[in-house]
């Protein structure tokens, strides 16, 4: 069978990343630079710029008015999602770190989107269990503790509207998945979730092999 995909190298991936809307956004570039300087090795947790563009585009494409993010860090993905929301849209952010989300808050202000975003500090699972009864989401982005992804999913799915989108980051786990030798706890949790999502009749799922792998799920 003919291979129907490209094996990317640095040059080709960089080319793809350059040729998108909002490439080189100055505020996001500044946030990237500050995150690297302030959080040092933790800065690798930040999503990539092309993922940010993808989140923004998806939020806008589905006319999202209500979104949730689990794992905000210094705010990169939240800014992208919030910028894609429809007029009057709201993003609820969950994160356990006051230190990192203080940076996010500062950039929400700089971007002029602070009124669209609510941050709830603390562990995500109890926060999800305490959500107001009437909250429904059009879009969810999951990017916190990998071994808890399934727990986040089970708590968020009942709140998604039909055709709402749930995205999970790092679903190729640095390229370690698909290899039987990958036996670390986090990798196995992500693998189990990838398998579950593919079979789950409540959703439709595609594992997109860009950045570190994004599971894109549509609620049926
Ligand atoms: C990978 S980073 C998120 C990156 C972010 N989406 C961005 O674009 O920069 C993961 C974040 O999840 C938070 N986190 C980790 N475990 C958590 C938990 N159990 N509950 C809430 N937040 C958690 C961390 O504080 C960290 O800020």
């Amino acid at each position: 069978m003919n291979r129907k995909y490209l094996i990317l190298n640095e040059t080709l991936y960089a080319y793809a990343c350059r040729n998108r809307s909002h490439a080189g956004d100055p505020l996001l570039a500044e946030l990237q630079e500050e995150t690297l300087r302030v959080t040092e090795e933790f800065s690798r947790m930040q999503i990539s710029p092309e993922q940010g563009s993808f989140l923004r585009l998806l939020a806008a494409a589905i006319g999202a008015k209500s979104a949730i993010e689990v794992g905000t860090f210094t705010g990169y993905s939240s800014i992208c999602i919030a910028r894609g929301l429809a007029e009057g849209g709201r993003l609820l952010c969950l994160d356990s770190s006051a230190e990192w989300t203080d940076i996010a808050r500062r950039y929400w202000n700089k971007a002029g989107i602070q009124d669209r975003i609510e941050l709830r500090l603390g562990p995500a699972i109890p926060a999800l269990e305490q959500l107001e009864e009437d909250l429904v989401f059009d879009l969810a982005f999951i990017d916190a503790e990998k071994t808890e992804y399934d727990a986040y999913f089970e708590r968020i799915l009942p709140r998604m509207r039909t055709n709402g989108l749930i995205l999970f980051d790092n679903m190729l786990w640095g390229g370690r998945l698909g290899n039987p030798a990958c036996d670390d706890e986090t990798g196995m949790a992500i693998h189990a979730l990838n398998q579950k999502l593919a079979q789950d009749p409540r959703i439709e799922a595609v594992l997109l092999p860009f950045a570190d792998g994004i599971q894109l799920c549509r609620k049926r």
Side-chain angles (χ1 to χ4, degrees), residues 45-47 69 71-78 94-97 100 122-124 141 143-146 148 152 170:
M45 297 204 296
Q46 189 169 57
I47 62 158
E69 170 175 272
T72 295
F73 190 43
T74 59
Y76 199 106
S77 48
S78 60
L94 307 182
D95 200 290
S96 52
S97 169
W100 287 332
F141 180 53
D143 190 20
E145 169 54 46
K146 311 306 162 201
E148 294 184 355
Y152 305 152
N170 306 110

Side-chain angles (χ1 to χ4, degrees), residues 145-150 169-196 207 212:
E145 169 54 46
K146 311 306 162 201
T147 56
E148 294 184 355
Y149 271 22
D150 194 13
D169 194 22
N170 306 110
M171 297 302 275
L172 287 174
W173 197 223
R176 280 158 281 185
L177 296 189
N179 177 350
C182 173
D183 61 357
D184 71 275
E185 188 197 349
T186 306
M188 290 196 310
I190 295 172
H191 173 58
L193 182 58
N194 277 328
Q195 289 190 308
K196 169 178 162 168
L207 177 46
D212 190 23

